[in-house]
Amino acid sequence: SLFHVFGGFLFTASVCVERYAAGGSSRRFARLLAGAAVLISMWLLRSAQSRSCYSIVIDAGTTATHLNIFRFDEWTLRILDINDAAQVHTSVTPGLRDLAGNADGVAVVFRPLLEVALATVPAAKRSTTPLAVRANAGLLFLPSDEVEKLLGAVRAFLQPFGFLDAGVELLDGRTEAEGSWLTVNFLLGSFRPGVQRVHEPFV
């Protein structure tokens, strides 16, 4: 963060003062170090201006498929607005489970979601934007070979779009519960420095 840049600059400045006070060849070293510190700090501050990154999560639910796109500050990871909204969210039906026996239907369901993603994430950032697909435990009621066929069809469909592959995975019930716990506590600010209490999602 900018605090780290400022802290590093102050530390370097203190080293420069100490070396310069030592006299002799140490003064030349101090001048070179100070110059390098100034240039590096300017470059870091310049690169930090208006730098943002994106993250895409597709929730392949039982009855619908949901797209969520988030934008973050690259330095602080603070969530930034996208067109005056906290996130981009859209849903289509059916859910992935309803495509059992019809893997070709994956393209029909996922294409409108990817069109929204392409319209939201700038082309220059797509290769570094993680795209994760997480199917919920509803798929566990299907035969395992059918589940793998569906997930494989999703992977094949997403590959040409150029986003960073963050995996196409099936979540079990425990992992879904852990995700709910993290989401609730993140939204309530429980992970901020100095906060000592977390919250149980279902209490």
Side-chain angles (χ1 to χ4, degrees), residues 48-175:
Q49 294 177 354
S50 301
R51 292 293 297 273
S52 61
C53 56
Y54 293 80
S55 177
I56 303 173
V57 179
I58 296 179
D59 174 12
T62 302
T63 58
T65 305
H66 311 276
L67 170 75
N68 299 279
I69 304 176
F70 303 94
R71 177 170 165 253
F72 300 89
D73 182 284
E74 286 190 355
W75 283 65
T76 65
L77 295 183
R78 180 173 59 89
I79 295 180
L80 304 175
D81 284 354
I82 304 176
N83 298 327
D84 297 323
Q87 69 181 93
V88 172
H89 173 80
T90 188
S91 300
V92 296
T93 54
L96 196 57
R97 189 178 72 173
D98 291 336
L99 295 176
N102 180 27
D104 293 338
V106 165
V108 177
V109 173
F110 277 76
R111 187 173 301 282
L113 301 180
L114 268 295
E115 289 175 352
V116 173
L118 291 174
T120 303
V121 180
K125 292 188 175 291
R126 289 173 194 159
S127 63
T128 57
T129 297
L131 192 164
V133 178
R134 298 295 183 263
N136 68 21
L139 285 186
L140 294 174
F141 294 99
L142 298 176
S144 58
D145 59 334
E146 185 62 40
V147 172
E148 285 304 315
K149 189 179 297 184
L150 285 172
L151 297 181
V154 173
R155 295 185 188 101
F157 176 76
L158 296 178
Q159 187 174 5
F161 288 90
F163 292 103
L164 180 64
D165 181 13
V168 177
E169 300 175 4
L170 172 63
L171 302 179
D172 57 26
R174 179 184 178 87
T175 305

